[in-house]
Amino acid sequence: MKVGVLAPWAATNNLGDYVIGDACVSALWDHGIAVSEAYPTHIRPPLRHLRRAVRCQHLVLAGTNALDARMESNLRFWVTPDLAACYRHKVILMGVGWGTYNTRVTKYSRWVIEQLLDPEALHSVRDSFTGRVLSALGYRVEVTGCPSTWGLLLPASDLEPASRAIATLTHGNHPDPRRDSQWIAELADLVDEWAVQPMEFSDVAYALELGVPASRILPVSLQSFNHHLSRGPVTVVGTRLHAGIRALQFGRQAVIIAIDNRAREMAADFRLPVVEPDAGISVQRWLDEDRAPGPVLDEGQAAAVERFLDALAAAR
């Protein structure tokens, strides 16, 4: 059987999507599910890809904000009528989230979702909110979180304090220059060494607009980010959810500043180190917050992950 992946990390420069991709492909392979090909979701796939996708028995849509109530306004995501015909009833969700808090699903969005999703499959969703929306639409779901959090541990609180920090910014989603300048300045005063890790190229321009020296901006490269995480104790603070998750994967302290429903809903369900900027800016308080080490997913949530992966493997 051929299993294809609808891959947010194909045809993008967003490092967060690469973090998701690493986790998704590894989880599939660990359960004996060999991925035959990856198809992009941010751009229209070439015709040769569509011809191969039609021959796949299943297409796994892997970990992204790919669903919402107004799909007609988000046509960069695999949602045109002709793609729906190509992918008809082949798509199985894997850690996918509902992109907004709007649950008034348009007729077009309902039609596209019904065309694409396998009506018999067990789907994996990123959070309980997404689970409630899809359950109301008639789909069976397991709330598993993003695959990048599967098996993730919060670092022990007695780790050596970090004298280095990496900040992350988000230019494309509710930028707030006043807020971001404030917490970056406070972070810089608390450590001996700091830098900004852009997760896509628009973050570089935003950091420069905030007055961050170019010498303190790291490359837009997951390999470079991994290198800085592996150098020793470091704290990652900022608005990029998957930068914080990547830090946790390396056993580093992370503080994720919530700016959208992804971080908020995942924090409501799972033990992620998420803070609200509206409660006031205090980086020192964020860093000192007592977070007991241990798994991000509890036993029941980890079991939900296994049920989904077992069901996907059995569907072959």
Side-chain angles (χ1 to χ4, degrees), residues 128-143:
S128 295
F129 175 76
T130 304
R132 290 192 295 272
V133 175
L134 285 174
S135 293
L137 293 175
Y139 295 96
R140 294 190 302 128
V141 301
E142 292 282 3
V143 178

Side-chain angles (χ1 to χ4, degrees), residues 151-157 159 248 251-254 270-273 291-297:
L152 193 60
L153 298 176
L154 294 176
S157 56
L159 286 177
L248 296 176
R252 307 307 183 195
Q253 183 183 24
F270 309 103
R271 298 175 66 231
L272 281 176
R291 298 185 180 92
V296 170
L297 277 63

Side-chain angles (χ1 to χ4, degrees), residues 8 11-12 14 17 40-45 64-65 71-80 83 200:
T12 183
N14 189 321
D17 287 335
T41 60
H42 289 295
I43 64 170
R44 181 177 178 79
T64 186
N65 267 347
M71 303 286 276
E72 62 271 25
S73 66
N74 196 14
L75 291 180
R76 67 193 180 102
F77 279 119
W78 61 285
V79 291
T80 56
L83 287 186
E200 54 186 327

Side-chain angles (χ1 to χ4, degrees), residues 157 162 164-166 183 186-191 234-238 253-256 275 282-291:
S157 56
R164 294 190 303 127
I166 294 175
W183 69 258
E186 183 177 343
L187 179 66
D189 287 339
L190 292 173
V191 295
V234 62
T235 298
V236 175
V237 181
Q253 183 183 24
V255 175
I256 299 164
V275 299
S282 175
V283 175
Q284 186 67 68
R285 190 186 73 239
W286 294 343
L287 298 179
D288 291 343
E289 187 171 325
D290 185 21
R291 298 185 180 92

